[in-house]
Amino acid sequence: EFQEDGNLWEDRLTKLRAAFDAWIDVQRRWVYLEGIFFGSADIKNQLPAEWSRFKSVDGEFITLMRRISSRPYAMEALNIENLQRTLERLSNLMTVIQKALGTYLEKQRSDFSRFYFLGDDDLLEIIGNSSEPGKVLPH
């Protein structure tokens, strides 16, 4: 009896930890990409497929977070249908978006050699604010 209860709780806690690990990864990526895509009209125009893909991810992530927030106890989150699979799929989609963004930044660097000396975040800020020279001057 005690052994069975222990095994049951171990299984639940293992699933919860896996969900939290995936959730943290998705949330970290989402915050990063949200700042890029919602903060810059130029990036939206330059990467329309990724913008569309991120809008889809954004909507699904926000819906999932609302569903999770309606459950005050952590263990209840495990009852959300396909939670782990959804988080993994969102993570995979954001990986694809980040790779496309990286490819785009490398193309910008090859077109403008002075960009080789800038990190991705600085380059994104320059590209995102290209119509506002005052914001680009510090770089």
Side-chain angles (χ1 to χ4, degrees):
E1 173 85 22
F2 181 75
Q3 180 73 26
E4 289 174 18
D5 284 347
N7 289 339
L8 179 66
W9 275 103
E10 181 180 16
D11 183 53
R12 286 180 182 165
L13 292 173
T14 300
K15 286 180 182 176
L16 186 62
R17 176 171 178 138
F20 279 155
D21 288 345
W23 183 357
I24 289 167
D25 179 56
V26 167
Q27 188 169 347
R28 181 182 47 81
R29 291 172 188 244
W30 178 81
V31 166
Y32 176 73
L33 291 172
E34 183 198 31
I36 292 168
F37 284 106
F38 288 132
S40 169
D42 287 344
I43 298 293
K44 289 183 225 177
N45 295 332
Q46 298 291 328
L47 301 168
E50 282 67 33
W51 160 243
S52 176
R53 189 174 286 137
F54 183 72
K55 270 191 350 187
S56 172
V57 166
D58 178 64
E60 193 170 348
F61 180 69
I62 289 173
T63 300
L64 180 62
M65 292 300 101
R66 285 190 179 125
R67 288 175 61 200
I68 289 173
S69 71
S70 70
R71 298 165 189 256
Y73 301 107
M75 295 306 285
E76 288 181 11
L78 292 177
N79 296 328
I80 295 175
E81 189 175 335
N82 297 321
L83 174 66
Q84 187 69 30
R85 194 175 312 136
T86 300
L87 289 169
E88 288 170 0
R89 189 173 50 74
L90 290 174
S91 179
N92 291 338
L93 285 169
M94 286 192 277
T95 297
V96 169
I97 294 168
Q98 282 184 295
K99 284 181 182 175
L101 189 59
T103 301
Y104 170 73
L105 293 177
E106 284 308 309
K107 181 185 179 310
Q108 294 300 311
R109 286 185 177 103
S110 69
D111 291 347
F112 304 98
S113 58
R114 65 184 170 273
F115 288 161
Y116 277 107
F117 302 104
L118 295 172
D120 287 354
D121 292 336
D122 289 335
L123 183 52
L124 285 167
E125 188 174 348
I126 289 171
I127 293 168
N129 293 308
S130 61
S131 60
E132 298 180 46
K135 290 185 176 181
V136 176
L137 279 176
H139 300 287

